[in-house]
Amino acid sequence: MILEELKICDFRVISNEETISLAPQVRDGRKRPIVLFGGLNGAGKTTTLTAVRLALYGKHSLGSSVSIREYHEYLKDSIHKSKKAKIQKNAAKIHLTFSYATRGEVSLYTIKREWTANGSKVHEILKIEKDGKILSLTYDQCQGFLNELIPIGVSDLFFFDGEKIAELAEDTTGRALGTAIRKLLGLDVINRMRDDLAIYLREKNTASMPEQHQQIISTLKEEYDVAYAAYEAALNEQSEAVRQVVAIDIDIKRSESYISSKGGAWARSRNEEQVRLEQLIAEKKYLEEQIRTAMGAGFPLVLAIGCVKNLLTQLEKEQDFKKQSILKASLDQKVELLKSSLLQSLNDKQAVESAISNAFAELFDEIEQIDIVHDCSERQFNRVQLLLENIIPASRQLMLDMGKQLADIQNQLDHASENLQRAPDEAFLKDELEQLRELNEKRTAENNKMAVAKDDAKRALREAMDLMRQMQKKEQEFSANFSSNRAYQMAQRSRELLNDFASKTTVNKVKQLEEEFVKSFRKLARKEDISLQAQIDPKSFDVKLLDKQGNEINKQQLSAGEKQIFAISILEALARTSGRKLPIIIDTPLGRLDSKHRGKLVENYFPTASHQVIILSTDTEIDQNYFKQLSPNISHVYEVEYFPKEGNSEYLRKHYFGFKMTEDTEIKEQELAEDVA
């Protein structure tokens, strides 16, 4: 299969009709498989993938549980809404042309899906052309033909985006992989057949019961149908709320992008900046007052800290001199009294006097004379000491802290003033800001609806399951009477055969999938990871990663990039296991990869993933370096550019973020020039 051409008219951000060539083209004598689409987030590049899926699968492109009402609501919301037009369009169309080979014969098909909205009603038309002739099929027959031609379960392995990669990358239960494998093998069809047989057995069993028990089961069945219908309705409401939130998020991003481009980020904070500026000015005045108060207290002494230290040293010496002088005078008086008392009672007065003088000689040494300059009291000395050791250091630290605060406030004042100068008047973007506010309110309301619907669905499901258990209990009371019936036995054996077929088919395909995964992973992984092996449980579909010694590797310990490489390897392995030759469309493929893993994907995956590879990328994923590396395999490029004033996007051919396509010879000349430089 090759996707040849896509025509989009008034669909989502596309206004009027855009014709996009998707078929790989011959360049320099060789067909190049890659068609590269570039676009900023919100510009509409994903519209390409959405349009292809919608053209092929209609309602089922939104999910298996989507109702007709939800689908029609989606179609109505998808009609382009112009920002300038007074009368909005009420119709849109998607035409997808592809070539498909059956038994060696290639035919050209064109799917024409068009719809018109009149009030709350939507009228959809689906037609299929084969080799230029309209097929005489009804809507349902057309959709059934497409589902048979390219089953949606298989296309999920070829048309995928970052969300699908993330789902497989983060899956630790095997649920996501199990769903993919079941669709690949058609096990979902087998499950439906088993369920249909179970319904048949239940109905036949019920018919053989007494009328009284039939009435009881009939009542339980009616109650069950009501409960299950309530469960499905709640699920539909939840999925509709999810869809609305996704659509609103796109509108919010687009609105924010436009507002930001017009200085709206500053406009929205203008009043806040003004209030903040006034607060900063008040803080600055208060701090300056505090600094002036500190300058009038002990801080000036910090400027003469050397003199203050010399003063304290002088005062310490004076205090010591005074204490020693007082002590010496007191001792002299006591010694004289002692001498006088002893000399009166002793004969050798001279010896006594000499002995006393010698005993106190050390105390009577001459005191070093100090000039008393300040002659301050001990209380005054303590105050000076406290000033130097506590008050002055504290004043110095306080002044330093306040100086830093003042500098920080001044810096904030400068920035706030610059922001105010940048900000346009909020009235300039009043309508856009009001629209953004309304979108955020709608998003909150839809999130609330989603939570309520989820709770309602849980409650209804519990009620339905309880009623089902009651029915099964009643049925089991009479199942023995019916089990001898030939039809029952045939149906039961068919169910067993389907179970056995599904089990054996799964085991065989899982083994093939393991082998394909190893090939893909070795091609994309770094050298140190090449020895990695994989084991897939055929029942739970849980994937075990093993190192070369056979030890299990915890997937949770893998980096985000390694998980994404794992997921892409699984998708490629699933695609190869399917045996289908389909194009690959991949949206935002490099989001969480580091440079090494990105290089591996660009070098070893994109050029060989399929005979036709359509890549939808931002400028930060396939940048100019990777663009240059991919150029030998690129057929042609498109850049999707969004025009905020008009509210629409256009596909610009031969442009990719300003980097035009070059021929191989030009690329070689550029490389040669760079080498010479």
Side-chain angles (χ1 to χ4, degrees):
M1 176 184 180
I2 293 178
L3 299 174
E4 301 286 350
E5 184 180 83
L6 178 66
K7 286 184 179 180
I8 305 173
C9 182
D10 295 319
F11 178 64
R12 297 178 68 166
V13 294
I14 302 303
S15 175
N16 299 319
E17 185 173 297
E18 289 273 1
T19 300
I20 304 131
S21 174
L22 300 177
Q25 299 173 1
V26 175
R27 192 161 59 84
D28 291 343
R30 183 169 68 88
K31 185 174 283 190
R32 317 299 168 121
I34 297 175
V35 181
L36 179 62
F37 288 79
L40 300 177
N41 289 326
K45 65 182 183 303
T46 305
T47 299
T48 309
L49 174 58
T50 306
V52 170
R53 289 181 61 84
L54 183 60
L56 286 168
Y57 304 113
K59 180 173 76 75
H60 295 291
S61 66
L62 305 180
S64 58
S65 61
V66 174
S67 66
I68 288 292
R69 181 182 63 83
E70 290 174 324
Y71 175 56
H72 283 175
E73 191 68 27
Y74 171 79
L75 291 179
K76 186 172 70 173
D77 291 344
S78 295
I79 297 173
H80 176 72
K81 297 173 183 62
S82 173
K83 286 187 175 181
K84 288 190 171 183
K86 293 182 179 179
I87 300 176
Q88 296 293 341
K89 303 283 183 67
N90 70 334
K93 67 180 181 181
I94 299 172
H95 293 181
L96 177 65
T97 302
F98 62 91
S99 54
Y100 194 91
T102 306
R103 297 184 181 91
E105 182 179 344
V106 179
S107 298
L108 191 67
Y109 293 88
T110 298
I111 306 168
K112 295 183 176 181
R113 193 179 293 272
E114 304 174 4
W115 63 96
T116 304
N118 292 314
S120 60
K121 294 183 178 180
V122 174
H123 177 63
E124 184 188 11
I125 298 172
L126 176 60
K127 295 180 180 179
I128 301 176
E129 286 184 4
K130 181 180 180 181
D131 296 327
K133 296 180 180 179
I134 296 288
L135 299 180
S136 299
L137 300 173
T138 65
Y139 179 94
D140 290 336
Q141 288 172 338
C142 284
Q143 194 58 68
F145 174 80
L146 291 172
N147 292 344
E148 186 178 342
L149 197 66
I150 313 162
I152 190 168
V154 175
S155 75
D156 284 342
L157 311 177
F158 293 86
F159 309 156
F160 55 88
D161 56 13
E163 290 182 8
K164 181 69 176 178
I165 295 172
E167 182 186 13
L168 281 171
E170 299 298 334
D171 180 36
T172 57
T173 63
R175 189 177 303 162
L177 181 60
T179 301
I181 292 176
R182 288 187 186 95
K183 287 181 178 179
L184 169 66
L185 302 179
L187 297 181
D188 52 340
V189 178
I190 294 175
N191 289 336
R192 284 200 301 273
M193 292 173 64
R194 281 189 309 200
D195 292 341
D196 291 342
L197 284 170
I199 293 170
Y200 168 80
L201 291 172
R202 185 179 298 117
E203 289 176 349
K204 290 296 183 182
N205 188 25
T206 303
S208 67
M209 295 179 184
E211 187 175 347
Q212 181 182 359
H213 282 79
Q214 286 188 34
Q215 186 62 39
I216 294 172
I217 288 181
S218 176
T219 302
L220 289 172
K221 179 70 167 59
E222 289 175 2
E223 293 176 357
Y224 169 80
D225 289 341
V226 171
Y228 196 79
Y231 164 68
E232 288 187 320
L235 275 186
N236 289 337
E237 288 179 10
Q238 183 185 359
S239 62
E240 172 63 16
V242 170
R243 190 184 68 77
Q244 289 290 347
V245 168
V246 171
I248 291 169
D249 282 341
I250 293 171
D251 290 339
I252 286 175
K253 285 182 180 178
R254 192 175 295 129
S255 180
E256 286 179 339
S257 177
Y258 176 72
I259 289 171
S260 179
S261 68
K262 298 299 180 182
W266 305 110
R268 282 180 294 178
S269 61
R270 183 186 183 91
N271 292 336
E272 295 175 6
E273 287 292 336
Q274 186 63 50
V275 172
R276 183 165 166 267
L277 187 67
E278 292 172 0
Q279 290 176 343
L280 289 170
I281 291 172
E283 288 179 18
K284 182 182 178 183
K285 288 181 179 179
Y286 174 76
L287 200 57
E288 287 174 342
E289 185 61 33
Q290 291 293 102
I291 291 174
R292 280 192 288 271
T293 301
M295 292 292 290
F299 180 73
L301 293 175
V302 174
L303 304 177
I305 190 67
C307 295
V308 175
K309 287 182 178 179
N310 292 336
L311 170 62
L312 184 63
T313 301
Q314 175 65 24
L315 291 177
E316 286 174 344
K317 289 180 180 179
E318 289 184 8
Q319 289 297 313
D320 187 53
F321 176 73
K322 286 181 180 181
K323 289 177 182 178
Q324 290 188 40
S325 297
I326 292 169
L327 178 61
K328 186 174 185 303
S330 176
L331 287 173
D332 284 343
Q333 186 178 6
K334 296 292 183 181
V335 168
E336 288 301 324
L337 289 173
L338 181 59
K339 285 181 181 179
S340 175
S341 175
L342 290 174
L343 289 175
Q344 291 177 3
S345 59
L346 296 174
N347 295 326
D348 192 351
K349 295 180 180 179
Q350 186 175 0
V352 172
E353 185 175 352
S354 176
I356 292 171
S357 297
N358 291 337
F360 289 93
E362 292 183 3
L363 296 175
F364 293 156
D365 286 346
E366 287 295 325
I367 300 172
E368 182 181 356
Q369 293 296 316
I370 297 294
D371 292 334
I372 303 298
V373 177
H374 304 288
D375 196 19
C376 65
S377 65
E378 186 172 355
R379 182 181 177 186
Q380 291 172 325
F381 169 75
N382 289 337
R383 287 181 62 188
V384 173
Q385 189 176 36
L386 177 66
L387 185 70
L388 182 66
E389 294 179 354
N390 296 97
I391 295 176
I392 290 177
S395 296
R396 181 178 180 277
Q397 188 60 47
L398 177 63
M399 189 63 72
L400 288 173
D401 292 342
M402 288 192 295
K404 289 179 181 178
Q405 291 179 38
L406 186 61
D408 182 56
I409 288 173
Q410 186 59 52
N411 188 40
Q412 292 183 56
L413 277 169
D414 293 340
H415 282 296
S417 299
E418 290 174 4
N419 292 346
L420 281 174
Q421 290 174 3
R422 290 194 191 103
D425 193 338
E426 192 169 347
F428 177 70
L429 293 169
K430 182 180 178 181
D431 293 342
E432 285 75 10
L433 292 170
E434 179 64 22
Q435 183 186 25
L436 184 60
R437 184 188 64 77
E438 290 175 358
L439 285 171
N440 281 305
E441 288 178 355
K442 283 175 64 178
R443 189 182 190 281
T444 301
E446 292 298 333
N447 277 324
N448 293 336
K449 286 183 185 177
M450 194 192 311
V452 171
K454 185 177 180 181
D455 292 338
D456 291 345
K458 287 181 179 178
R459 184 166 52 253
L461 182 60
R462 283 195 297 268
E463 183 181 351
M465 290 175 67
D466 182 56
L467 290 165
M468 177 59 73
R469 281 191 288 268
Q470 292 180 49
M471 278 194 295
Q472 289 173 345
K473 187 176 179 181
K474 285 291 181 185
E475 289 168 355
Q476 286 170 2
E477 294 176 8
F478 292 90
S479 61
N481 297 331
F482 179 64
S483 61
S484 60
N485 184 287
R486 178 174 173 79
Y488 176 87
Q489 292 176 353
M490 294 288 289
Q492 191 63 32
R493 287 174 185 170
S494 297
R495 291 191 74 200
E496 292 171 359
L497 181 63
L498 287 172
N499 287 334
D500 188 48
F501 172 77
S503 177
K504 290 183 177 179
T505 303
T506 302
V507 170
N508 292 335
K509 284 295 183 181
V510 161
K511 185 177 180 181
Q512 183 183 350
L513 182 62
E514 289 175 350
E515 295 172 355
E516 292 292 346
F517 169 78
V518 170
K519 293 177 185 177
S520 299
F521 190 82
R522 286 179 177 174
K523 182 174 64 175
L524 301 179
R526 296 174 300 192
K527 288 183 178 179
E528 56 268 28
D529 299 327
I530 284 179
S531 58
L532 202 68
Q533 300 290 327
Q535 285 184 356
I536 303 174
D537 190 314
K539 293 182 179 179
S540 66
F541 299 105
D542 184 33
V543 181
K544 288 183 180 180
L545 298 179
L546 308 175
D547 60 20
K548 58 184 178 181
Q549 284 81 29
N551 301 316
E552 184 177 353
I553 299 171
N554 188 349
K555 277 200 298 181
Q556 295 293 74
Q557 295 178 354
L558 298 176
S559 67
E562 289 168 336
K563 287 179 181 177
Q564 197 163 10
I565 288 295
F566 162 80
I568 292 172
S569 300
I570 284 287
L571 284 169
E572 186 179 26
L574 284 165
R576 293 187 184 280
T577 304
S578 74
R580 299 280 186 133
K581 296 292 184 181
L582 296 177
I584 282 182
I585 305 177
I586 179 167
D587 187 11
T588 57
L590 305 179
R592 300 192 298 173
L593 295 177
D594 55 36
S595 58
K596 288 185 178 179
H597 284 116
R598 285 189 178 196
K600 285 284 186 179
L601 212 63
V602 169
E603 181 182 357
N604 297 328
Y605 177 66
F606 293 146
T608 60
S610 179
H611 59 282
Q612 182 181 18
V613 181
I614 298 170
I615 303 172
L616 312 172
S617 173
T618 64
D619 59 337
T620 58
E621 293 182 289
I622 305 295
D623 57 18
Q624 289 193 2
N625 289 330
Y626 289 135
F627 180 90
K628 186 176 179 180
Q629 191 173 343
L630 280 174
S631 280
N633 295 290
I634 293 177
S635 165
H636 53 285
V637 298
Y638 285 96
E639 182 178 345
V640 185
E641 186 172 351
Y642 180 69
F643 299 93
K645 286 185 178 180
E646 292 78 11
N648 69 281
S649 294
E650 293 181 7
Y651 288 83
L652 305 180
R653 182 73 185 265
K654 295 187 178 180
H655 287 262
Y656 184 81
F657 299 110
F659 194 68
K660 295 183 180 181
M661 276 293 298
T662 54
E663 302 297 330
D664 285 355
T665 53
E666 294 178 35
I667 293 171
K668 291 175 182 177
E669 289 174 3
Q670 289 177 6
E671 291 175 346
L672 181 61
E674 289 172 4
D675 291 340
V676 171

